[in-house]
Amino acid sequence: MSEPERARAATIFDVARLAGVSHQTVSRVLNDLPNVRPATRERVEKAIAQLRYVPSPAARALVTRRSRTIGLVVTGAHERGPSSTALHFNAAARDARYAVITASMMRTDVAELRAAAELLVRQNVEAIVLIATDRSGVDALEGVELGVPLVTVASEQRGVRHRVTLDQFAGARAAVEYLVELGHREIRHVAGPEGSMDASERARAWFQVLSDRGLVAREPMQGDWTPESGFERGRALAEQRDFTAVFVANDQMAIGVMRAFAVAGLDVPGDVSVIGFDDLPESEFLSPPLATVRQDFHGLGGDAMALVLSALGDEATPDPPLRPTELVVRGSVAPPAPHLP
């Protein structure tokens, strides 16, 4: 591509990056509005000249137009947590008379995530909500000047300004403490994938409870959230048989674990207790029904929209408290059999 062609392709976002300012500041300079420092205005004008940028009417309007549109970026969109949160966020946005433009990703790709956020800003969204499953998703937008408020749904703080989340640690702690109270002393853990913030919080709670009770925390077995990975980890556990309970990081893997135990001739909960996390709709109807931890995705989606409205209003309100989870006791757990350790 020739130099003139590259210049003609320049956008307001290219100018903003080169000048080190937000796209709204560029728009203020284009409209010759006040409240722009002379040095900043000079940098913007130099960037415009260097890129040979020709502003469009849409670019001039960016600083003043209200679109009543929110951008939503969802990573891990095939997973229950992110998809359910996105669904309820959309409902809360509609209740507030906002439209939502969604960019969904099966997995976290840093370059694609940044490109999606920039594309949403080009669509004149008033704020962006990021539902992040992995740390890399949150870190991808760190230091990126979006020019609009960013609200993150993530289990870890990681320096973000506006965040909502469920209390993953407390939910997992309640599950493992319940197993200990039933009398279990050898409690294994099938964890979620590396890099997942939810998986890390749940594993951290499992380890903390066992440590506090003076129990041995054997190396977790790592899965990928799928029933297939749960089945494979369950087969490996069934060969060891040095435990009486398993805390599984999500219900889908727990379904696989229970199937593997059945194939190996282990009775749940007679030989081994199993407890999951998520409370899938089908978990109640398994045989035996799966004990689990219920998450309030409806409330979480509402929390995210409430924080968006707060950020748009420039209100100096703190992030809402971590939304609680609920332990759901069902037939897959019981006290350990007397003949087992």
Side-chain angles (χ1 to χ4, degrees):
M1 183 185 290
S2 67
E3 189 65 32
E5 287 173 329
R6 282 196 294 269
R8 284 197 298 273
T11 69
I12 190 172
F13 301 98
D14 299 323
V15 174
R17 274 193 295 269
L18 183 59
V21 299
S22 69
H23 70 275
Q24 286 99 333
T25 298
V26 176
S27 190
R28 289 188 182 93
V29 172
L30 294 174
N31 286 284
D32 198 25
L33 295 176
N35 300 324
V36 179
R37 288 180 295 184
T40 301
R41 185 181 297 274
E42 183 179 355
R43 288 206 314 274
V44 172
E45 289 172 345
K46 284 183 178 179
I48 290 172
Q50 182 176 334
L51 295 172
R52 301 178 187 178
Y53 171 63
V54 178
S56 66
R60 293 183 182 276
L62 275 173
V63 72
T64 56
R65 187 170 61 214
R66 292 292 303 273
S67 65
R68 296 200 70 82
T69 303
I70 306 299
L72 175 63
V73 180
V74 187
T75 65
H78 61 296
E79 298 169 12
R80 172 170 167 77
S83 62
S84 297
T85 304
L87 178 68
H88 292 296
F89 172 78
N90 271 270
R94 286 195 298 273
D95 289 343
R97 300 183 182 277
Y98 275 81
V100 178
I101 303 175
T102 303
S104 297
M105 302 177 184
M106 295 288 285
R107 291 176 175 82
T108 301
D109 181 281
V110 171
E112 289 184 9
L113 197 154
R114 289 177 177 170
E118 183 171 290
L119 179 61
L120 289 170
V121 174
R122 292 172 191 259
Q123 299 296 317
N124 196 37
V125 297
E126 295 186 29
I128 290 178
V129 173
L130 169 64
I131 299 177
T133 53
D134 296 344
R135 295 181 185 90
S136 58
V138 179
D139 296 344
L141 297 184
E142 183 179 1
V144 177
E145 176 57 68
L146 295 172
V148 296
L150 172 66
V151 171
T152 304
V153 182
S155 298
E156 297 177 2
Q157 181 65 45
R158 305 197 69 78
V160 298
R161 182 178 179 186
H162 302 295
R163 180 183 73 120
V164 297
T165 189
L166 293 158
D167 199 336
Q168 303 287 334
F169 182 89
R173 181 177 58 197
V176 181
E177 285 181 341
Y178 180 70
L179 292 172
V180 173
E181 289 166 2
L182 286 176
H184 294 280
R185 296 297 177 263
E186 290 289 344
I187 304 171
R188 301 297 297 270
H189 180 43
V190 177
E194 185 178 359
S196 165
M197 293 177 287
D198 288 354
S200 178
E201 284 296 284
R202 296 169 196 176
R204 185 169 69 90
W206 165 80
F207 180 83
Q208 186 67 59
V209 171
L210 296 190
S211 177
D212 289 347
R213 300 295 186 102
L215 303 176
V216 176
R218 303 184 188 279
E219 187 69 23
M221 291 187 171
Q222 193 171 78
D224 62 6
W225 297 134
T226 64
E228 293 82 3
S229 71
F231 182 78
E232 291 302 319
R233 305 311 179 268
R235 287 177 61 186
L237 285 170
E239 292 178 358
Q240 300 174 20
R241 303 199 181 195
D242 57 354
F243 58 95
T244 62
V246 185
F247 169 52
V248 189
N250 78 333
D251 283 6
Q252 287 195 335
M253 290 195 299
I255 290 171
V257 168
M258 289 172 64
R259 175 59 181 163
F261 287 169
V263 170
L266 289 174
D267 180 70
V268 176
D271 297 321
V272 182
S273 288
V274 177
I275 188 165
F277 204 108
D278 277 343
D279 194 24
L280 295 176
E282 55 267 36
S283 295
E284 182 180 1
F285 301 99
L286 299 174
S287 181
L290 178 63
T292 186
V293 177
R294 181 177 296 150
Q295 303 187 79
D296 182 8
F297 297 119
H298 178 275
L300 185 62
D303 289 345
M305 189 60 205
L307 195 53
V308 166
L309 295 174
S310 174
L312 289 175
D314 290 326
E315 300 175 16
T317 55
D319 292 351
L322 276 63
R323 184 163 285 275
T325 55
E326 178 187 356
L327 176 65
V328 181
V329 177
R330 296 193 180 113
S332 64
V333 292
H339 63 279
L340 290 177

